[in-house]
Amino acid sequence: MTITTETDNRISVVWQDLEVAPAELRLDPTLICGQAFRWKCTGPNEWTCAIFGHVVDLKQTSTSVLFRSLGRLPTASESDDELRLLLCDYLQLHISLQALCEQWIKVDPEFKKLAQTQIGVRILRQPIVENLFTFIASSNNNIRRITMLVDKLCGKYGQKIETEKGAFFTFPSIQMIARDSAVEQTMKELGFGYRARYYAKTVERLVQLDDTYLENLRHASVEVAREELMKLSGVGPKVADCVLLMSLDKADAVPVDTHIWQVAQKRYVGRLTGSKSELASMPLPSDKQEQIRELAQKLSAFKSPSTKAYELAQALIVTLFSPYAGWAQGLLFSDDLVDSLDPTAAKPITKSRPISKPKPTPAKRKAEEPQTIPKQEHETAAEPTAKRTGLRPRPASSVFTKSGL
């Protein structure tokens, strides 16, 4: 069993400026939209997490994002410059979100509104093991419970760092977890249920592989990297796509679920298969017009979600917004969630039931119940968050909380 290491490095330091405008990064929702599950709101517009051997504090201001280290492990660098580089890489600040939006607007002019309402929603570049293990926990789960499970995992196997804001635990390495000779039993005791077996097998498999195995997938093609990830227990196509997008530099990976299918249907299928005026609203690249319209036509045949519908929706979004389709999907998904929870949004007209129809008996009612689609994984777990940006309130569910993960 792993014994957690404690440090008592309580440090009060001045904030350092990452020099990134809100148009390029908003901590809320980026840190809590279901990409990562360990950032805690610890003050007005402040978010804290044990990462890179530090307890990192981030603060959103009206003009930028600030950072500081509240404490660190003895093995972590004391250099603010090194921590800055790690955070810039984690937040992928070398990629201009505004420049991407300008490119997407050329394909879909309605992205102009999206770039304003979903300002600063970025894709994180997370540590691979952390991202992989958190999304294995996502199957048939919601954000609140995933967060609880991940906190328990870190508390059991991670390293403890005491700070002025309390104790925080690092995410454990594979080697730290592997020291436990009864990983599956421990994970069950932590509440992971049937997923405990996935973790035990995945830890066993990764210990057998080269230490650089996961890192090397960053240099493989999307197809090869996805195939390799799916060899790990508990990893299906959607978990694999989340890891590809958020850890392995595959910006064209698009995790798909019912929401993405709905986005493709509502936002694109009608326009791409409709009248000439509707087609004119999307100035498609000449070399992709036929392919895009063919995908939209095929997708229009599906009236409910299915595996094939998901694949078509994924292919449509990739073809429209490559080479950063995963980033575009993030904004599309975020906007769809906000609209779905907006009480002022227009509701579809539905037919009322005939009042003369007699009520069925309980036995008959049960027999006549239609088959329903299983609830989505990562169901919305509405959590209050402080809003001081003047933008629409956002749900606590996620850009990347995908069904079937």
Side-chain angles (χ1 to χ4, degrees):
M1 297 291 293
T2 298
I3 300 176
T4 58
T5 301
E6 297 188 20
T7 67
D8 192 12
N9 286 324
R10 302 186 183 187
I11 305 172
S12 295
V13 296
V14 296
W15 292 97
Q16 305 289 324
D17 195 343
L18 284 176
E19 300 179 354
V20 54
E24 288 291 340
L25 169 64
R26 278 194 303 131
L27 299 180
D28 177 7
T30 299
L31 298 180
I32 60 168
C33 67
Q35 297 186 68
F37 298 89
R38 297 196 302 119
W39 288 93
K40 312 297 181 186
C41 184
T42 56
N45 297 315
E46 293 182 19
W47 304 88
T48 310
C49 180
I51 191 169
F52 308 128
H54 290 257
V55 174
V56 175
D57 222 6
L58 296 178
K59 184 180 181 68
Q60 185 85 56
T61 73
S62 60
T63 58
S64 189
V65 171
L66 311 179
F67 78 95
R68 63 181 178 178
S69 173
L70 297 178
R72 61 181 178 81
L73 295 175
T75 54
S77 171
E78 298 182 26
S79 169
D80 284 339
D81 289 339
E82 288 188 27
L83 183 56
R84 179 192 297 274
L85 290 174
L86 291 169
L87 289 172
C88 287
D89 181 71
Y90 179 78
L91 298 167
Q92 304 203 77
L93 298 185
H94 62 287
I95 297 175
S96 170
L97 182 59
Q98 289 181 291
L100 291 179
C101 287
E102 290 174 4
Q103 293 299 314
W104 298 331
I105 290 170
K106 294 177 181 179
V107 176
D108 178 6
E110 292 186 10
F111 240 96
K112 185 174 183 179
K113 178 183 177 182
L114 202 63
Q116 296 170 344
T117 60
Q118 307 306 313
I119 187 172
V121 179
R122 300 186 70 82
I123 302 300
L124 302 174
R125 189 179 192 250
Q126 301 181 61
I128 305 173
V129 171
E130 176 178 345
N131 194 22
L132 172 65
F133 275 40
T134 53
F135 275 99
I136 288 176
S138 69
S139 176
N140 297 315
N141 238 335
N142 58 51
I143 291 177
R144 185 172 297 167
R145 191 163 188 277
I146 296 166
T147 300
M148 176 193 70
L149 291 173
V150 171
D151 285 345
K152 287 184 176 181
L153 174 65
C154 293
K156 185 67 177 180
Y157 295 114
Q159 295 176 281
K160 185 178 182 180
I161 307 175
E162 292 281 0
T163 76
E164 61 189 38
K165 288 189 175 183
F168 293 82
F169 290 85
T170 64
F171 197 92
S173 67
I174 292 294
Q175 290 72 22
M176 294 167 72
I177 300 174
R179 293 171 192 165
D180 183 356
S181 60
V183 172
E184 182 173 352
Q185 181 59 36
T186 300
M187 299 296 277
K188 286 181 178 178
E189 292 172 358
L190 294 177
F192 283 82
Y194 68 87
R195 304 173 192 86
R197 179 168 53 89
Y198 299 157
Y199 285 98
K201 289 186 175 182
T202 294
V203 168
E204 181 181 8
R205 172 65 175 160
L206 290 176
V207 167
Q208 296 171 350
L209 296 170
D210 187 275
D211 289 344
T212 61
Y213 166 74
L214 291 175
E215 291 279 349
N216 288 339
L217 294 182
R218 284 177 167 159
H219 307 294
S221 67
V222 170
E223 294 75 20
V224 169
R226 182 185 290 116
E227 182 180 352
E228 288 298 311
L229 287 172
M230 289 175 61
K231 292 178 181 178
L232 300 174
S233 184
V235 179
K238 295 163 191 170
V239 171
D241 282 340
C242 286
V243 178
L244 291 174
L245 176 63
M246 291 174 267
S247 289
L248 298 181
D249 303 334
K250 311 306 181 188
D252 251 357
V254 177
V256 294
D257 72 340
T258 299
H259 282 282
I260 293 305
W261 174 79
Q262 291 172 340
V263 166
Q265 286 280 4
K266 291 189 300 183
R267 195 177 186 96
Y268 297 117
V269 169
R271 293 158 69 191
L272 292 169
T273 61
S275 63
K276 289 184 178 180
S277 61
E278 289 175 313
L279 287 172
S281 70
M282 291 193 65
L284 302 176
S286 58
D287 60 330
K288 295 183 178 180
Q289 285 185 7
E290 185 176 344
Q291 181 184 4
I292 291 171
R293 289 171 183 169
E294 181 180 355
L295 286 168
Q297 190 66 49
K298 289 180 179 179
L299 189 57
S300 68
F302 292 86
K303 305 306 179 185
S304 61
S306 69
T307 300
K308 184 61 177 178
Y310 292 160
E311 292 173 354
L312 288 170
Q314 182 183 56
L316 179 60
I317 292 172
V318 170
T319 308
L320 283 169
F321 299 112
S322 183
Y324 283 89
W327 286 60
Q329 174 258 12
L331 271 69
L332 289 166
F333 188 90
S334 181
D335 183 68
D336 182 69
L337 283 176
V338 171
D339 285 344
S340 68
L341 297 186
D342 184 355
T344 65
K347 301 296 188 295
I349 299 174
T350 58
K351 294 181 180 180
S352 60
R353 296 180 180 177
I355 60 174
S356 59
K357 184 176 180 178
K359 295 182 178 179
T361 63
K364 184 177 180 181
R365 182 164 52 244
K366 183 175 182 180
E368 292 178 349
E369 284 180 349
Q371 296 295 316
T372 58
I373 299 172
K375 287 186 177 181
Q376 296 306 301
E377 297 175 6
H378 292 309
E379 294 174 31
T380 300
E383 299 173 349
T385 55
K387 296 299 173 199
R388 297 172 177 82
T389 60
L391 297 175
R392 288 187 290 175
R394 304 179 53 85
S397 54
S398 164
V399 176
F400 299 102
T401 50
K402 303 301 174 191
S403 63
L405 292 178

